[in-house]
Structure formats: structure tokens, C-alpha cells
Amino acid sequence: MGALKRDVFQGLADPTRREILTLIVHEPMSLNSIAEKFEISRPAVSQHIKILEECQLIDITQKGRQRFCEPKLDKLNEVAEWIAPFKEMWESRFNQLDNLLEELKTKSK
Amino acid sequence: MNEAKFTVKENVLTVERTFNAPIKLVWRAWTEAELLDQWWAPTPWKSETAKMDFSEGGSRLYAMVGPEGEKHWGLTEFTSIKPVTHFSGQDVFCDENGEPNREMPVAKFSNDFNENNNQTTVIMVTHYASADDLKTVIEMGMKEGLTMALNQLEDILLTQKV
């Protein structure tokens, strides 16, 4: 397993991350102003933002001393398409299959 | 995590996914009832195979068991099997006796397995009689909490007019 590749569904699986997306969907916001909106610690917010960036759900741009987050709407659209439930079902199956194959590999050594 | 590729064209759906395991193991996981039951049902559902005859002309009768104990029955009929590289057949909705539900779409599937450097790529091609049939099946897709989240997002997107 190389670097953990995150997918969009993982990005959206967490309520805080969905809330962050909802916040910035109308206008880009700085990391600081996003963090202010949450009760959780700033590092925790940063961590969520990092995951959103890894899933390519947001872009982060440096403006002076501030880092601004904006949503990548094409990625969100891709998720909102009608095939989403089908994808979720197979992603869930494949994750379980990955785990099962790891077990089988250990057993067959 | 390996990424799955999904493509839809009219009435044909293709899913491609690579697994970090040799072809023999991947083949077993797709064709042995006991192993299939460990991954075939998306969380929180469980898969229970009632009958398995993995041979040309044979079939697998299985139930998807929901968190409330509700059961959806499915029948997979195998028409062609070439061990470890290919099997094809059709999937139908049925009752607990394996009696097909004629009102529901039939999916003709073809699964191909390729090994490369200890990794195995599976390509599943599924044909439905029509694009409408395919939509029907997908909309029946078992939805988890995530779908609700996606619906919320969809509302946001609709107001965005991207």
C-alpha cells in the first residue's frame, strides 16, 4: 500500500467536512474564518481541510498571509450524479474485498 | 486504496478495479460462496448464499440481508466459465425459491480478470436491455447515510447553477 489515496466519498463521509463545504460553496473563505465557525480545535479543522484537499474537493490558495479554500464544483457534480448510489455500493464492496484478500494472502503464505 | 473506474454508456455499465492480490485469490473471492458472502453486501447489509453451483449452467441463489432483517433475493446464473480469467452470465431478482421476478430488469454481465505484477485487475461489463432498466437498478442501489449527505450537497449544487 502506497500513500493512502482518498476518494471523494471518504471526503464526504464526515459531517464536519460536509459543513465546511457548505460554508465555502457560496464564497471562498480563509482557513482562519472557517476555523472560527467551529467548536472543534483549529488543528482538527486543518486536518479536515487537508483531507478535503486530498480528495480534490477543494482548492487551497495562498493570498498574502491567508490561505483561502474554495470548492471544486466539478468534483462535487461528479458525486451528485445519478450513478452515485451504485458507486457507493461497489466502493463498499471493494473495500471489504480488499480486506478479505489481505486475510487470504496471509493464510496462503 | 485503489480507485475504481465507473463508466456508463446508454445501457452498458463498466466497472474496473485493481486489487493487490494474485489472480488465484481474487478469482476465489469472486467465485466461492463462503468468500463472496464476506464482501458481496455493502455495509450494513449481509450476504447469505443459499445455494451455490459454480458451473456452466449452474447458479448462485443468495439473499441480501438488511439491518432490520429484511431480505432481497438475487439469482446469478453462470453461462460461461474459464477458470481464473473469465466468467459471464446473468443476474436476476427473484424470490426465496429462486423464482425470477419477470418485472425486474435482467443484467447480463461479463467479468474478466488480468494479473500483472501480483496485482489483479477485474473488468465487469454489464448490459441491460435498455438505459431505463439500468437507471431502475441503480436507483434501487442500497443507500447508506452518505446518500443523504449527497442529496444535501445536490441541493447546494442546484442553487449554484454550475
Side-chain angles (χ1 to χ4, degrees), chain B residues 1-22:
Chain B
M1 221 175 50
N2 295 326
E3 198 158 336
K5 273 199 304 205
F6 296 87
T7 38
V8 183
K9 273 205 179 124
E10 305 271 325
N11 60 328
V12 182
L13 203 126
T14 308
V15 182
E16 186 176 325
R17 173 69 144 74
T18 299
F19 299 94
N20 304 332

Side-chain angles (χ1 to χ4, degrees), chain A residues 1 3-7 9-10 12-14 18 21-22 25-26 73-77 79-98 100-105 108, chain B residues 1-4 6 8 13 15 17-22 25-26 28-30 35 38-43 64 124 134-135 138-139 141-144 146-147 149-150 152-154 156-157 159-160 162:
Chain A
M1 291 292 279
L4 186 64
K5 239 187 117 155
R6 298 185 186 272
D7 70 3
F9 292 110
Q10 248 180 310
L12 295 169
D14 179 277
R18 292 199 295 270
L21 279 172
T22 312
V25 90
H26 297 292
L73 292 169
D74 54 344
K75 200 71 183 179
L76 284 176
N77 268 342
V79 175
E81 68 192 350
W82 59 276
I83 192 178
F86 176 85
K87 282 188 180 175
E88 279 167 48
M89 178 174 90
W90 279 100
E91 294 285 0
S92 171
R93 281 177 171 169
F94 289 150
N95 288 338
Q96 296 175 120
L97 179 51
D98 281 338
L100 173 67
L101 288 166
E102 288 303 318
E103 271 177 52
L104 291 175
K105 278 202 293 199
S108 65
Chain B
M1 221 175 50
N2 295 326
E3 198 158 336
F6 296 87
V8 183
L13 203 126
V15 182
R17 173 69 144 74
T18 299
F19 299 94
N20 304 332
L25 290 184
V26 178
R28 284 185 52 206
W30 285 72
L35 297 177
Q38 292 181 55
W39 69 272
W40 188 250
T43 324
M64 292 281 209
M124 303 188 290
L134 187 142
K135 270 209 143 118
I138 287 181
E139 282 162 7
M142 290 157 201
K143 303 179 187 194
E144 299 145 50
L146 199 51
T147 310
L150 293 172
Q152 291 163 9
L153 272 172
E154 214 159 1
I156 297 170
L157 291 166
T159 60
Q160 281 291 305
V162 183

Side-chain angles (χ1 to χ4, degrees), chain B residues 35-154:
Chain B
L35 297 177
L36 265 170
D37 281 344
Q38 292 181 55
W39 69 272
W40 188 250
T43 324
W45 292 67
K46 296 271 178 273
S47 160
E48 289 176 8
T49 301
K51 274 197 232 128
M52 177 67 152
D53 170 11
F54 187 67
S55 65
E56 292 184 350
S59 61
R60 169 188 180 219
L61 174 63
Y62 64 94
M64 292 281 209
V65 187
E68 312 289 319
E70 66 272 42
K71 287 187 179 180
H72 294 178
W73 289 89
L75 184 73
T76 308
E77 298 169 308
F78 307 107
T79 45
S80 151
I81 298 172
K82 297 186 180 65
V84 315
T85 58
H86 170 91
F87 73 95
S88 57
Q90 57 178 28
D91 265 315
V92 295
F93 292 90
C94 63
D95 64 14
E96 68 258 37
N97 304 314
E99 193 53 49
N101 178 342
R102 304 271 168 222
E103 303 190 346
M104 291 296 297
V106 173
K108 291 195 184 316
F109 70 86
S110 171
N111 298 339
D112 283 283
F113 300 71
N114 276 300
E115 186 174 32
N116 202 328
N117 291 333
N118 267 330
Q119 288 196 314
T120 303
T121 301
V122 183
I123 300 176
M124 303 188 290
V125 182
T126 310
H127 284 253
Y128 287 90
S130 68
D132 276 350
D133 274 3
L134 187 142
K135 270 209 143 118
T136 305
V137 171
I138 287 181
E139 282 162 7
M140 284 182 49
M142 290 157 201
K143 303 179 187 194
E144 299 145 50
L146 199 51
T147 310
M148 282 169 55
L150 293 172
N151 290 342
Q152 291 163 9
L153 272 172
E154 214 159 1

